[in-house]
């Protein structure tokens, strides 16, 4: 396949994947919390069991991150997208018919698995192969996900208004739309060999242009494709995993506890909800801005900024009884959350190359299963200490450690390059 043939699909693929991530994000985490109050009275569940579905979905999302990688390597991206869309549609269809808690937990687990298999991992894998400058397409892609988080509650309210509060219809419609869009993305991607050829063509183009005139010499990009084994042994990979964990821990915990925490501080419920919405809008702004500059400045500085903002936002949230602190919370956690996933994705590619990126990104996503414990930890500490404040302070302290590690981080040296340096130094001696 020629470079010209390779280049005709990228923007169409970016649009399709972005729309799919938008709808999947809207249909899962941001919709379920708004729909639960309508589901609980009809089904007769406790609130504890209803919200446990969030934890099940979060654990399934993180723990299943190995699955799309296995499918991609064995069957290709197209088959992975079809499988992911089918699992996601099955979970949504089961929610539309759910009557019992076991079925509900199974449905949320399917949504978590489908989220990875149909969205993040295939999407980042394809975009990293078909775009030479990746910050802008990654920014557009992750911005679409953030917009889905903002749109989800609005879609729920619109559906309830249109169908007299019949929540089952909403899940059924989402199942149909996401299933069809997943099939569309699979059709646009092409056959099993297409992406491999596209990636090789892009790598050759990058090497040729880099020799002629590197566009942004201040941005480090390796010319060596690291093995998974060597990459995971570096401190840089551990730091990137820690940064991804800290942003998920902060984001999930803030999203689930902010409303209850702020109302306990005496903040009006509508103001607390407004702070949550403002945080979501800040995520959108962060990913748009990060995508615009990510190829011009070192993404490490974006990650330093993101982690610093998360620390400031969590500390502000711990005592956010006043409007200035609520604004600082929304800006800090929103921008920090939005920038981290973009910066980590770019740094994985810049530090370790494209060839094994899907495996490395999948390993990073595994920490989502652990970060899902954040709301549980918050509730545990609230029951014993009488306040959510210590939880946000604790998570701010953990994030501060990651901030320092990212600040001190430097690009890793491939083992072969390090060996050559050592051999040269020995010869000089």
């Amino acid at each position: 396949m020629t470079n010209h043939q390779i280049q005709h699909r990228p923007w169409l693929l970016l649009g399709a994947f972005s729309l799919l991530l938008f709808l999947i994000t809207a249909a899962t985490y941001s919709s379920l919390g708004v729909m639960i109050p309508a589901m609980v009275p009809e089904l007769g569940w406790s609130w504890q069991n209803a919200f446990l579905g969030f934890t099940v979905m979060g654990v399934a999302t993180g723990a299943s991150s190995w699955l799309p990688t296995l499918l991609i390597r064995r069957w290709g991206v197209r088959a992975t997208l079809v499988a992911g869309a089918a699992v996601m549609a099955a979970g949504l269809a089961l929610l539309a018919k759910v009557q019992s808690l076991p079925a509900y937990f199974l449905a949320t687990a399917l949504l978590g698995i489908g989220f990875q298999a149909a969205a993040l991992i295939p999407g980042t894998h394809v975009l990293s192969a078909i775009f030479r400058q990746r910050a802008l397409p990654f920014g557009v892609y992750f911005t679409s996900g953030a917009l889905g988080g903002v749109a989800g509650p609005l879609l729920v309210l619109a559906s309830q208004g249109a169908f007299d509060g019949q929540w089952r219809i909403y899940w059924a419609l989402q199942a149909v739309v996401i299933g069809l869009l997943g099939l569309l993305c699979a059709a646009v991607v092409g056959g099993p060999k297409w992406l491999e050829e596209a990636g090789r063509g892009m790598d050759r183009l990058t090497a040729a242009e880099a020799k002629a005139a590197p566009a942004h010499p201040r941005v480090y990009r390796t010319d060596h494709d690291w093995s998974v084994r060597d990459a995971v042994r570096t401190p840089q990979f551990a730091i990137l995993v820690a940064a991804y964990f800290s942003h998920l821990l902060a984001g999930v915990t803030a999203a689930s506890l902010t409303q209850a925490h702020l109302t306990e501080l005496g903040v009006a419920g509508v103001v607390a909800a407004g702070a949550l919405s403002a945080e979501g809008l800040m995520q959108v702004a962060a990913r748009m801005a990060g995508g615009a500059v990510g190829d011009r400045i070192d993404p490490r500085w974006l990650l330093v900024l993101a982690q610093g903002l998360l620390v400031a936002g969590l500390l502000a949230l711990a005592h956010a009884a006043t409007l200035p602190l609520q604004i600082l919370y929304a800006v800090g956690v929103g921008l920090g959350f939005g920038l981290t996933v973009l910066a980590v994705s770019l740094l994985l590619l810049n530090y370790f190359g494209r060839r094994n990126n899907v495996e490395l990104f999948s390993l990073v996503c595994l920490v989502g299963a652990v970060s899902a414990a954040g709301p549980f930890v918050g509730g545990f500490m609230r029951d014993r200490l009488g306040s959510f404040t210590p939880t946000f302070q604790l998570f701010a302290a953990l994030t501060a450690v990651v901030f320092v590690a990212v600040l001190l981080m430097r690009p890793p040296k491939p083992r072969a390059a390090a060996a050559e340096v050592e051999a040269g130094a020995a010869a000089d001696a």
Side-chain angles (χ1 to χ4, degrees):
M1 183 178 291
T2 66
N3 283 339
H4 176 73
Q5 290 173 312
I6 290 171
Q7 290 300 315
H8 82 284
R9 288 180 177 171
W11 294 104
L12 176 60
L13 270 169
L14 175 60
F17 273 103
S18 297
L19 181 57
L20 182 61
L21 182 62
F22 171 87
L23 288 175
I24 287 177
T25 305
T28 52
Y29 291 97
S30 65
S31 286
L32 186 58
V34 181
M35 193 65 85
I36 280 177
M39 297 170 65
V40 166
E42 178 179 331
L43 297 170
W45 296 343
S46 69
W47 290 100
Q48 176 182 341
N49 286 331
F51 280 106
L52 184 58
F54 272 102
T55 300
V56 172
M57 186 160 53
V59 170
T61 301
S64 66
S65 62
W66 58 272
L67 179 60
T69 299
L70 180 64
L71 293 175
I72 287 171
R73 293 306 188 196
R74 187 172 181 85
W75 303 109
V77 176
R78 172 181 282 178
T80 304
L81 286 170
V82 171
V87 171
M88 176 65 68
L92 291 165
L94 184 56
L95 273 182
K97 295 289 186 179
V98 70
Q99 297 290 345
S100 65
L101 280 172
Y104 171 63
F105 294 143
L106 175 59
T108 54
L110 290 174
L111 293 183
I113 296 169
F115 191 97
Q116 292 285 39
L120 284 179
I121 292 176
T124 54
H125 179 59
V126 170
L127 296 179
S128 69
I130 62 177
F131 285 96
R132 181 170 52 90
Q133 299 293 329
R134 292 152 178 151
L136 178 59
F138 272 33
V140 171
Y141 181 61
F142 289 125
T143 297
S144 298
L147 286 171
V150 175
L154 301 178
L155 292 175
V156 170
L157 295 176
S159 172
Q160 289 183 315
F163 299 107
D164 283 334
Q166 297 298 314
W167 53 268
R168 296 183 186 274
I169 296 177
Y170 176 78
W171 298 126
L173 289 174
Q174 289 282 19
V176 172
V177 173
I178 289 176
L180 292 176
L181 187 56
L183 294 177
L184 174 62
C185 285
V188 177
V189 166
K193 295 182 179 179
W194 177 80
L195 191 62
E196 182 181 353
E197 295 175 356
R200 284 202 300 264
M202 194 58 62
D203 288 342
R204 288 193 296 269
L205 182 63
T206 301
E209 292 192 355
K211 290 179 181 178
H216 301 290
R218 294 183 181 180
V219 179
Y220 173 86
R221 293 187 179 91
T222 184
D223 56 1
H224 172 76
D225 281 315
W226 289 64
S227 69
V228 174
R229 181 179 181 182
D230 287 343
V232 298
R233 292 179 174 182
T234 63
Q236 289 83 356
F237 182 79
I239 292 171
L240 294 180
V241 170
Y244 198 82
F245 169 78
S246 71
H247 105 284
L248 285 176
L249 185 69
V252 172
T253 304
S256 58
L257 302 183
T258 292
Q259 187 79 15
H261 170 61
L262 291 183
T263 52
E264 282 191 355
L265 293 179
V267 177
V270 65
V271 176
L276 275 170
S277 297
E279 181 204 326
L281 291 175
M282 288 298 101
Q283 291 182 33
V284 174
R287 291 173 181 181
M288 291 177 63
V293 303
D295 283 319
R296 294 173 172 80
I297 65 173
D298 191 338
R300 182 175 72 89
W301 294 114
L302 292 181
L303 190 55
V304 169
L305 175 63
Q307 295 295 295
L309 286 169
L310 281 174
V311 173
L314 288 171
L315 290 176
L317 179 57
H319 304 283
T322 62
L323 183 59
L325 287 177
Q326 292 160 16
I327 293 173
L328 181 56
Y329 144 67
V331 172
V333 174
L335 293 182
F337 187 92
L339 282 175
T340 295
V341 65
L342 174 64
V344 168
S345 301
L346 293 174
L347 286 168
L348 283 172
L349 286 162
N350 290 357
Y351 283 178
F352 305 114
R354 184 191 61 82
R355 187 174 303 278
N356 296 309
N357 181 257
V358 64
E359 285 86 0
L360 295 176
F361 188 67
S362 297
L363 290 173
V364 170
C365 289
L366 277 172
V367 302
V370 183
S371 65
F376 172 79
V377 172
F380 180 87
M381 295 180 69
R382 166 65 180 80
D383 289 340
R384 284 153 182 79
L385 301 176
S387 171
F388 291 108
T389 295
T391 299
F392 298 120
Q393 292 171 334
L394 172 62
F395 292 169
L398 293 175
T399 306
V401 175
V402 180
F403 167 80
V404 173
V406 175
L407 187 63
L408 299 176
M409 182 174 67
R410 295 297 180 268
K413 293 182 179 179
R415 287 180 175 269
E420 290 175 5
V421 171
E422 293 175 0
D428 292 342

